[in-house]
Amino acid sequence: IYLYEGLANAAQTIIVSSGLVYTQAMGLDQNGWLAQVEFTWLGASGGVYNIQSNSVFNFTPGTNYMAEILREASSSDGSSQYQMEVPGGAILGAEEGEDYDVNGPTTPYIDQLVYAVEGLSAFPKSLSSADVTSQSDYPAGYAMRMFDIDLQTGSSPAVMSWTPSYNGLNALWGEHATVVSNNTTGLGEVDLWYTVQPNSPLINAGGNFSTVAPTTGTPWLITGVGGHTVTVTLSSKSIGSPQTRPRTTAIVTLTTPGATFSDGSTSMSVTEGDVAKTVVLPGNSQLSGTVSSSKSSNTGTGLVTITVN
C-alpha cells in the first residue's frame, strides 16, 4: 500500500513520487512501514518502468513525516532533473539517460512536471493475489492526512486546486479523498481515506484537531452525515510555569458558503477556556473553516484544539 505525493507531466506518462509503503508481510519492523521514492515512466512500446529507492523507516503511527520533490535543473537538451526524498529515509535523483537496469531502457527525456498528485495505491504481491483483501490490510485509523502542502513554481506559490479522482478496479472499502484546503503556501491538505467515513463526525480525519499558537487561517474540514447536527468545541489553554505562562486566544471561522452556527454566527472565540456551538452539516457532508490563534507573550506554549461530536 503506497501513500505518496507526486508530480506528473502533461501526458501523465512520467511521474516522480515520494512517500510511505505500508505492508504487513515484509518483516521490516513492528509497524510495517517503508520509506520509498520512485521514478516511473511509460515506455515507447507501452511497457511501464520504474526505479525505486527505499529504506526501513522508523515510523510511529500518529506522528508526522515529510516528503519532498524538487526540480533541480535542466539538461542541455531541456530535459528536467528531479530529486525525491523522504528525509531520514530514502532519496533518489531522476534525469535523462540513466541506465539503472542493464535489462531495461535508459530513462527518457523528462518533460517539466506540471500535475501534482496526492495518492493512495495498493498493489498485489503477485499477479495471482489480490491487492487488499480486507479492511484490516490498511493501517490503523480511517485516513492518512497529507497536510502542510507547499507547492511552488519557481519562487512563487503555485495556483491550483485539487480534484479528487478514483481509478481503482477493486476499491471495496470506500477508499476516497477529501480536499481540506487548496492552499499552496504550507497550509494545504488532502486526506486519503482507507474506508467510508463513520457516522460520527470527524475533523481532518480525526476526532479532534490541534495546533500550537500563534496560527493564522489554518484550514480544517469536518466530515460526517449531511443534515446531521454537529457540536464543535473550541478549546485554548496555555502550558508553562505560572510566572511565564501566556494567555492564549483562539477563533474559529466557518468558510463554507451559507453555513452558520445555530445562533446565526459564522465564528466563535475563546481565551483560556472552552466554547461550543452547533452546526448542521451541509448536504455534501463537508464543512470547512479556519482557526487562528494568538498568545499574550512569547513565553510558554499555547495549545488550541477543536473537537467535534
Side-chain angles (χ1 to χ4, degrees):
I1 298 168
Y2 191 26
L3 297 144
Y4 63 93
E5 63 176 22
L7 295 174
N9 63 343
Q12 299 188 42
T13 56
I14 295 175
I15 184 170
V16 297
S17 61
S18 58
L20 296 178
V21 173
Y22 177 81
T23 176
Q24 297 179 335
M26 294 181 69
L28 299 173
D29 63 17
Q30 62 179 348
N31 298 316
W33 289 96
L34 185 76
Q36 181 167 299
V37 290
E38 186 171 87
F39 173 33
T40 304
W41 72 95
L42 182 66
S45 61
V48 177
Y49 304 93
N50 65 70
I51 303 160
Q52 298 176 352
S53 174
N54 51 48
S55 65
V56 174
F57 194 58
N58 185 21
F59 181 86
T60 302
T63 60
N64 304 329
Y65 81 96
M66 180 174 67
E68 299 176 336
I69 300 175
L70 176 66
R71 182 175 184 266
E72 293 190 312
S74 296
S75 303
S76 58
D77 63 354
S79 178
S80 298
Q81 299 173 14
Y82 286 86
Q83 178 169 294
M84 301 81 76
E85 180 177 4
V86 178
I91 186 170
L92 178 68
E95 59 182 285
E96 179 186 15
E98 293 293 321
D99 188 2
Y100 294 93
D101 183 351
V102 295
N103 297 316
T106 58
T107 54
Y109 179 96
I110 304 175
D111 303 320
Q112 186 165 344
L113 306 182
V114 295
Y115 282 105
V117 180
E118 303 286 348
L120 163 64
S121 299
F123 304 96
K125 292 186 289 292
S126 68
L127 294 178
S128 61
S129 65
D131 44 12
V132 176
T133 59
S134 72
Q135 175 61 42
S136 62
D137 288 339
Y138 282 113
Y142 299 111
M144 174 70 78
R145 293 179 58 214
M146 312 293 275
F147 65 101
D148 288 354
I149 296 172
D150 191 331
L151 281 167
Q152 295 188 19
T153 53
S155 59
S156 301
V159 178
M160 53 80 72
S161 60
W162 297 102
T163 302
S165 62
Y166 162 69
N167 298 315
L169 299 176
N170 297 299
L172 304 177
W173 314 108
E175 298 91 333
H176 65 286
T178 55
V179 178
V180 177
S181 173
N182 288 309
N183 180 281
T184 58
T185 60
L187 293 177
E189 180 171 342
V190 175
D191 294 341
L192 305 175
W193 293 76
Y194 318 132
T195 184
V196 294
Q197 297 163 206
N199 289 334
S200 56
L202 299 175
I203 181 167
N204 289 11
N208 60 68
F209 171 60
S210 297
T211 65
V212 175
T215 59
T216 302
T218 300
W220 49 259
L221 181 73
I222 295 173
T223 54
V225 179
H228 283 203
T229 298
V230 174
T231 300
V232 182
T233 302
L234 175 64
S235 303
S236 71
K237 65 177 182 178
S238 300
I239 303 171
S241 66
Q243 295 80 12
T244 62
R245 189 164 54 216
R247 289 176 60 79
T248 301
T249 298
I251 181 170
V252 154
T253 303
L254 303 180
T255 58
T256 297
T260 62
F261 290 111
S262 57
D263 62 0
S265 68
T266 58
S267 65
M268 60 177 170
S269 63
V270 65
T271 299
E272 292 298 315
D274 305 315
V275 64
K277 290 186 178 183
T278 58
V279 62
V280 176
L281 287 186
N284 67 353
S285 304
Q286 298 183 9
L287 180 73
S288 61
T290 61
V291 58
S292 298
S293 58
S294 61
K295 297 191 303 176
S296 60
S297 70
N298 291 327
T299 59
T301 301
L303 182 64
V304 176
T305 302
I306 307 172
T307 304
V308 295
N309 52 55

